[in-house]
Amino acid sequence: ADTILEVNCDYFILKKPAGDTILATVPYFGYERYFTIWVTDASGNQDTCNGNRSLAFLDTLNVCGKNRLVSGFHGQVTTVNGYNIPEVIITASGDRKLLDKSDLKGRYHIESFKPGKFKLEPHKNDDPISGVSTLDLLQIQKHIGGIERFGSVDQYISADINNDGDISITDLIELRKLILGIQAGFSNNTSWRFYNKTLLTGVQDEYTLKRFENPFIETVSGHMIEQNFNGIKIGDVNRSIAPGLTILEKRSSPRLDLSIENNKYKSNEVVQINISTNLNQINGIQGELKVINADIIGISDNSFINSFNYNASLVHQGIVRFNWFDLSHRNSKSENIIQLVIRPRTEGHLSDFIKLNNKGLINEAYTSNNEILDLNLNFTDPIRKNKNIDLSQTEGAHPKTVFNGLHPFRSI
């Protein structure tokens, strides 16, 4: 005979010919079993489902008249500047573990029928590059050099990339590796850290704040305790991230032109391309060039973007992801920032072979006043054709050029 599971106001009971078995005296049977469940309403309509299930019966209409009081937590997770943070996993750990995930408005809701003391732990560790740019590197460098110290405790948390309690050159190095795509995430940190919102507002000491990162909350029968959190995106020192927004307005920014003489070349010619710009009042630049219908033979070290400033592992894909920052640089003339050596596979102008890749690293520059400029490739009329490079010449003839296949690209 089939086994019948009877649920009343007091028990879960297994009804069997050999005798009934009381399973639980609480409204949750916390073990997964294979069930075939039939549901019949007052009009005789039926439906069924089967599979491995764990069952919970909640008396939401108070049919049993128990007036069961719900305890638990609720709140909202936002950035320091007020943006909602969705997809944050909230874990409440006590005599049992309860979970919820914040919605698009950053809200979460965890219910428990049994009051107790719980440790709340928000967690989000995806998309580490989001909100991070070379501008953040500049701000960390200014702080380290004493030029412009951080003004709030969340900046200290955000700039401590390796989570060692100190803001140093090692944080700059790791963050730059993330920006260039040399490493996919943080070595000793998560993408986000979360703190009691009230505590974050009142504490100006990052060391004290870290000791209270995951609060303990005690629930009271019949009460939902509100606990709001502020999330800090690691690496986003200038608070540029807006995680709750799905559509961003197009930013209208002034431009920084990267100039290239638009010479024409034949297939299989090996040529050096000079990409220049005026770096006056420019403290930093980042971007991604895409070379199409041509092979990158090398990248010269005789420019601002050298083997220390790009991701060598992407070059074989035709991608030059680069960044450069320098607080001391002040020049008023146009300078070569990148020198590429390429071999076109077809005949064409340089504008046919080199593009800004808008699907990778954001292409922008940063002024000494923290103004953001969009990068733009400006192909100018040729003045003279670049001299072809003879790859058979010795290294001494071109001592600053690193060629693919002849010399390995140096990585960070």
Side-chain angles (χ1 to χ4, degrees), residues 343-359:
R343 181 189 286 118
R345 301 190 200 111
T346 61
E347 182 177 312
H349 290 87
L350 289 183
S351 56
D352 299 320
F353 304 125
I354 302 177
K355 311 289 183 184
L356 278 176
N357 187 11
N358 294 318
K359 296 181 179 180

Side-chain angles (χ1 to χ4, degrees), residues 299-310 337 410:
I299 300 176
S300 172
D301 270 355
N302 192 26
S303 60
F304 287 96
I305 306 302
N306 51 46
S307 55
F308 186 70
N309 300 103
Y310 66 87
I337 63 165
R410 193 164 68 241

Side-chain angles (χ1 to χ4, degrees), residues 143-160:
H143 172 81
I144 293 173
I147 298 170
E148 184 179 327
R149 304 288 289 181
F150 294 149
S152 61
V153 67
D154 65 284
Q155 289 182 298
Y156 284 90
I157 300 295
S158 180
D160 187 10

Side-chain angles (χ1 to χ4, degrees), residues 145-179:
I147 298 170
E148 184 179 327
R149 304 288 289 181
F150 294 149
S152 61
V153 67
D154 65 284
Q155 289 182 298
Y156 284 90
I157 300 295
S158 180
D160 187 10
I161 307 302
N162 61 4
N163 196 29
D164 67 351
D166 186 33
I167 312 300
S168 68
I169 189 67
T170 57
D171 297 301
L172 281 175
I173 292 172
E174 182 164 346
L175 189 59
R176 190 168 61 83
K177 286 182 179 180
L178 180 74
I179 291 171

Side-chain angles (χ1 to χ4, degrees), residues 67 117 231 289 363 395:
N67 292 317
K117 190 175 184 179
L289 296 173
N363 300 293
E395 184 179 352

